[in-house]
Amino acid sequence: MRNIVIFAVTLSMLAVGVFTDRQHNWKRINKVKVSGFAWKNCGKPDAAAVLKTLSVSPDPISIPGELTASASGSTSVELLAPLSVNVTLEMEVAGFWVKIPCMDRLGSCHYADACDILNQLIPPGQDCPEPLHTYGLPCHCPFKPGSYALPESDFFLPFMDVPSWLTNGEYRLQGVMGGGGEELGCLKVALALHSE
């Protein structure tokens, strides 16, 4: 489950640009409201990595602001580097879903190794951030097989910079996690963004 929680959080952060380098066409926003957050598994019935529960509140989520989340899930295989993630990001435009291409490492992109992204965010040897540390959940590959749970926990979401093309609207995101040439899990996320 710990890897599924990280997968879900990684997908959501990729959706709003947390893991990308700040580029010249990015802008600072004072406040973002994320509403209508929903998720579902989209993998095969026998997928190795499955998110069983994910709850986030409040709705809408304010950035910057507090977020409360809990999750549970399982993996039947060890997840090792390289752990690829293929992301498809779409925005609703005039009633149609339009695929957003990969720009500034954000959008419908292929990430060759999510394990490397985690290592960039939290250098190996450094303690995992709270509340993962408190509950003994790792934040680096490899992730061992098993069932895991993150109890209801509070997080602070800081100010962020976003690409200038990321605008208010309805978004949906699909992430497919793979390793060893096989699909290990798939997750769909839907949300609406409103920035000030």
Side-chain angles (χ1 to χ4, degrees), residues 152-181:
E152 190 171 278
S153 302
D154 295 325
F155 300 87
F156 178 75
L157 303 174
F159 283 101
M160 65 170 59
D161 294 332
V162 298
S164 56
W165 54 263
L166 189 63
T167 61
N168 296 336
E170 303 279 334
Y171 291 88
R172 65 184 185 189
L173 170 84
Q174 175 175 298
V176 179
M177 181 171 59

Side-chain angles (χ1 to χ4, degrees), residues 1 3 10 12 14 20 28 37 49-50 70 78 83 90 104 124 129 137 142 144 150 164 170 173 192-193:
M1 180 280 157
N3 46 351
T10 299
S12 299
L14 287 171
T20 58
R28 169 66 60 151
F37 180 87
V50 179
S70 63
E78 185 173 35
L83 191 61
E90 297 175 304
D104 296 335
L137 300 173
K144 303 291 183 189
L150 176 68
S164 56
E170 303 279 334
L173 170 84
L193 292 180

Side-chain angles (χ1 to χ4, degrees), residues 7 11 42 84-87 174-178 183-187:
F7 180 51
L11 280 179
C42 50
S84 68
V85 178
N86 283 313
V87 174
Q174 175 175 298
V176 179
M177 181 171 59
E183 181 180 312
L184 300 174
C186 177
L187 189 68

